[in-house]
Coordinates of all heavy atoms in Angstrom, one line a residue:
Chain M
I176 N -56.3 12.6 11.6 CA -57.1 13.8 11.7 C -57.5 14.3 10.3 O -56.6 14.5 9.4 CB -56.5 14.9 12.5 CG1 -56.1 14.4 13.9 CG2 -57.3 16.2 12.5 CD1 -55.4 15.4 14.7
Q177 N -58.8 14.5 10.0 CA -59.2 15.0 8.6 C -58.9 16.5 8.6 O -59.1 17.2 9.6 CB -60.7 14.8 8.4 CG -61.0 13.3 8.4 CD -60.3 12.6 7.3 OE1 -60.1 13.1 6.2 NE2 -59.8 11.4 7.6
P178 N -58.5 17.0 7.4 CA -58.2 18.5 7.3 C -59.4 19.4 7.7 O -59.3 20.4 8.3 CB -57.9 18.7 5.8 CG -57.6 17.4 5.3 CD -58.3 16.4 6.2
S179 N -60.6 18.9 7.4 CA -61.8 19.7 7.8 C -62.0 19.8 9.3 O -62.7 20.7 9.7 CB -63.1 19.0 7.1 OG -63.1 17.7 7.5
H180 N -61.5 18.9 10.1 CA -61.6 19.0 11.5 C -60.6 19.9 12.2 O -60.7 20.2 13.4 CB -61.5 17.6 12.2 CG -62.6 16.6 11.7 ND1 -62.4 15.3 11.7 CD2 -63.8 16.8 11.1 CE1 -63.5 14.7 11.3 NE2 -64.3 15.6 10.9
L181 N -59.6 20.4 11.4 CA -58.6 21.3 12.0 C -59.2 22.7 12.2 O -60.0 23.1 11.4 CB -57.4 21.4 11.1 CG -56.5 20.1 11.0 CD1 -55.5 20.3 9.9 CD2 -55.8 19.9 12.3
P182 N -58.8 23.4 13.3 CA -59.3 24.7 13.5 C -58.8 25.8 12.6 O -59.1 26.9 12.7 CB -58.9 25.0 15.0 CG -57.7 24.2 15.2 CD -57.8 23.0 14.3
F183 N -57.9 25.5 11.7 CA -57.3 26.4 10.8 C -57.2 25.8 9.4 O -57.3 24.6 9.2 CB -56.0 26.9 11.2 CG -55.0 25.8 11.6 CD1 -54.3 25.1 10.7 CD2 -54.9 25.5 13.0 CE1 -53.5 24.0 11.1 CE2 -54.1 24.4 13.4 CZ -53.4 23.7 12.5
N184 N -57.2 26.6 8.4 CA -57.0 26.2 7.0 C -55.6 26.4 6.5 O -55.0 27.4 6.7 CB -57.9 27.0 6.0 CG -59.4 26.5 6.1 OD1 -59.6 25.3 6.4 ND2 -60.3 27.4 6.0
L185 N -55.1 25.3 5.9 CA -53.7 25.4 5.3 C -53.8 25.2 3.8 O -54.4 24.2 3.4 CB -52.8 24.3 5.9 CG -52.2 24.5 7.3 CD1 -51.5 23.3 7.7 CD2 -51.3 25.7 7.3
Y186 N -53.2 26.1 3.1 CA -53.1 25.9 1.6 C -51.9 26.6 1.1 O -51.4 27.5 1.6 CB -54.4 26.3 0.9 CG -54.7 27.8 1.1 CD1 -54.2 28.8 0.2 CD2 -55.5 28.2 2.1 CE1 -54.5 30.1 0.4 CE2 -55.8 29.5 2.3 CZ -55.3 30.5 1.5 OH -55.5 31.8 1.7
I187 N -51.4 26.0 0.0 CA -50.2 26.6 -0.6 C -50.6 26.9 -2.1 O -51.2 26.0 -2.8 CB -49.0 25.6 -0.6 CG1 -48.7 25.2 0.8 CG2 -47.8 26.2 -1.3 CD1 -47.7 24.1 0.9
T188 N -50.3 28.1 -2.5 CA -50.5 28.4 -3.9 C -49.2 28.4 -4.7 O -48.3 29.1 -4.3 CB -51.1 29.9 -4.0 OG1 -52.2 30.0 -3.1 CG2 -51.5 30.2 -5.4
I189 N -49.1 27.5 -5.6 CA -47.9 27.4 -6.4 C -48.1 28.2 -7.7 O -49.1 27.9 -8.4 CB -47.6 25.9 -6.8 CG1 -47.4 25.1 -5.5 CG2 -46.3 25.8 -7.6 CD1 -47.4 23.6 -5.7
P190 N -47.2 29.2 -8.0 CA -47.4 29.9 -9.2 C -47.2 29.0 -10.4 O -46.5 28.0 -10.4 CB -46.3 31.0 -9.2 CG -45.3 30.5 -8.2 CD -46.0 29.6 -7.3
P191 N -47.8 29.3 -11.6 CA -47.7 28.4 -12.7 C -46.3 28.4 -13.3 O -45.6 29.5 -13.3 CB -48.7 29.0 -13.8 CG -48.9 30.4 -13.3 CD -48.7 30.4 -11.9
I192 N -45.7 27.3 -13.6 CA -44.3 27.2 -14.1 C -44.4 27.3 -15.6 O -45.1 26.6 -16.3 CB -43.7 25.8 -13.7 CG1 -43.7 25.7 -12.2 CG2 -42.3 25.7 -14.3 CD1 -43.2 24.3 -11.7
R193 N -43.6 28.2 -16.1 CA -43.5 28.4 -17.6 C -42.7 27.3 -18.2 O -41.8 26.7 -17.6 CB -42.9 29.7 -17.9 CG -43.7 31.0 -17.5 CD -43.0 32.2 -17.9 NE -41.6 32.3 -17.5 CZ -40.7 33.1 -18.1 NH1 -41.1 33.9 -19.0 NH2 -39.5 33.1 -17.6
I194 N -43.1 26.9 -19.4 CA -42.4 25.8 -20.1 C -40.9 26.1 -20.3 O -40.1 25.2 -20.2 CB -43.2 25.4 -21.4 CG1 -42.7 24.0 -21.9 CG2 -42.9 26.5 -22.5 CD1 -43.3 22.9 -21.1
E195 N -40.6 27.4 -20.5 CA -39.2 27.7 -20.7 C -38.4 27.5 -19.5 O -37.2 27.0 -19.5 CB -39.0 29.2 -21.1 CG -39.7 29.6 -22.4 CD -41.1 30.1 -22.2 OE1 -41.5 30.2 -21.0 OE2 -41.8 30.4 -23.2
D196 N -38.9 27.9 -18.3 CA -38.2 27.6 -17.0 C -38.0 26.2 -16.8 O -37.0 25.7 -16.3 CB -39.1 28.2 -15.9 CG -39.1 29.7 -15.9 OD1 -38.3 30.3 -16.6 OD2 -40.1 30.3 -15.3
F197 N -39.0 25.4 -17.2 CA -38.9 23.9 -17.0 C -37.8 23.4 -17.8 O -36.9 22.6 -17.3 CB -40.2 23.2 -17.4 CG -40.2 21.8 -17.3 CD1 -40.2 21.1 -16.1 CD2 -40.0 21.0 -18.5 CE1 -40.2 19.7 -16.1 CE2 -40.0 19.6 -18.5 CZ -40.1 19.0 -17.3
Y198 N -37.7 23.8 -19.1 CA -36.6 23.3 -19.9 C -35.2 23.8 -19.4 O -34.3 23.0 -19.4 CB -36.8 23.8 -21.4 CG -37.8 23.0 -22.2 CD1 -38.8 23.7 -22.9 CD2 -37.7 21.6 -22.2 CE1 -39.7 22.9 -23.6 CE2 -38.6 20.9 -22.9 CZ -39.6 21.6 -23.6 OH -40.5 20.8 -24.3
N199 N -35.2 25.0 -18.9 CA -33.9 25.6 -18.3 C -33.4 24.7 -17.2 O -32.2 24.4 -17.1 CB -34.1 27.0 -17.9 CG -34.1 28.0 -19.0 OD1 -33.7 27.6 -20.1 ND2 -34.6 29.2 -18.8
V200 N -34.3 24.3 -16.3 CA -34.0 23.5 -15.2 C -33.4 22.1 -15.7 O -32.4 21.6 -15.2 CB -35.2 23.3 -14.2 CG1 -34.9 22.2 -13.2 CG2 -35.6 24.6 -13.5
V201 N -34.1 21.5 -16.6 CA -33.7 20.2 -17.1 C -32.3 20.3 -17.8 O -31.4 19.5 -17.5 CB -34.7 19.7 -18.2 CG1 -34.1 18.5 -18.9 CG2 -36.0 19.3 -17.5
Y202 N -32.1 21.4 -18.6 CA -30.8 21.6 -19.2 C -29.7 21.7 -18.2 O -28.6 21.2 -18.3 CB -30.7 22.8 -20.2 CG -31.6 22.7 -21.4 CD1 -32.2 23.8 -22.0 CD2 -31.9 21.4 -22.0 CE1 -33.0 23.7 -23.1 CE2 -32.7 21.3 -23.1 CZ -33.3 22.4 -23.6 OH -34.1 22.3 -24.7
F203 N -30.0 22.5 -17.2 CA -29.0 22.8 -16.1 C -28.6 21.4 -15.4 O -27.4 21.2 -15.2 CB -29.6 23.7 -15.0 CG -28.7 23.8 -13.8 CD1 -27.6 24.6 -13.8 CD2 -29.1 23.2 -12.6 CE1 -26.8 24.7 -12.7 CE2 -28.3 23.2 -11.5 CZ -27.1 24.0 -11.5
I204 N -29.6 20.6 -15.1 CA -29.3 19.3 -14.5 C -28.4 18.5 -15.3 O -27.4 17.9 -14.9 CB -30.6 18.6 -14.1 CG1 -31.3 19.4 -12.9 CG2 -30.3 17.2 -13.6 CD1 -32.7 18.9 -12.7

Side-chain angles (χ1 to χ4, degrees):
Chain M
I176 302 176
Q177 296 301 318
S179 54
H180 297 158
L181 288 172
F183 46 82
N184 281 328
L185 279 174
Y186 58 89
I187 301 169
T188 311
I189 302 170
I192 299 173
R193 294 182 309 161
I194 195 76
E195 299 90 3
D196 293 339
F197 175 76
Y198 280 132
N199 284 341
V200 168
V201 169
Y202 294 151
F203 171 76
I204 291 168

